[in-house]
Amino acid sequence: MMKYKGYMGQVVYDDQARLFHGDVLGLKAVITFQGKTVDEIEQAFKDSIDDYLDWCKERSVKPEKPFSGEVHIRLSSKEHKQLAQEAAARNMSFNSFIVEQLISRSR
């Protein structure tokens, strides 16, 4: 995992192309980078982030923040109802209940 200015990049090695390829995580925008050496991939990652931030600034667009905290999920009506009832029974908001459930299962 690579980190720069609050952004995170994940890198994989493509043995057929003989290069590293990376993606910035946690954004709707697609930001990629590549290099043949560790130094190249690190610099390409930083350059991609800087280019994205410059592009946003030139257009007066607020850059996306990685992992904004918003997660959109789809449930069946039955699942939605069941979870909402469980949240209400615990006197919790639906959102708080879902977060609690996700966090407790990720540990």
Side-chain angles (χ1 to χ4, degrees):
M1 206 60 64
M2 302 171 71
K3 297 176 185 175
Y4 180 67
K5 294 187 177 180
Y7 293 88
M8 293 176 51
Q10 183 173 12
V11 177
V12 295
Y13 181 69
D14 181 337
D15 60 345
Q16 292 181 353
R18 298 180 49 87
L19 59 84
F20 296 100
H21 179 277
D23 297 291
V24 177
L25 303 175
L27 303 176
K28 290 179 188 173
V30 177
I31 303 174
T32 63
F33 50 96
Q34 65 182 31
K36 290 189 175 194
T37 66
V38 172
D39 289 339
E40 281 183 19
I41 195 69
E42 287 177 347
Q43 189 60 52
F45 172 59
K46 292 175 182 178
D47 290 346
S48 292
I49 297 299
D50 289 337
D51 289 347
Y52 170 68
L53 295 174
D54 289 344
W55 182 89
C56 290
K57 187 176 182 179
E58 289 170 7
R59 288 160 181 77
S60 299
V61 172
K62 187 175 178 182
E64 285 183 67
K65 296 289 183 187
F67 305 104
S68 67
E70 285 189 37
V71 177
H72 301 273
I73 60 171
R74 296 201 193 305
L75 302 169
S76 70
S77 306
K78 183 179 177 181
E79 292 165 333
H80 193 170
K81 180 180 177 183
Q82 179 184 356
L83 292 170
Q85 288 173 336
E86 288 182 43
R90 293 185 185 197
N91 200 28
M92 297 176 74
S93 72
F94 183 74
N95 190 72
S96 296
F97 177 73
I98 296 298
V99 169
E100 180 185 89
Q101 295 301 305
L102 291 171
I103 297 300
S104 69
R105 284 175 169 73
S106 68
R107 292 183 180 154

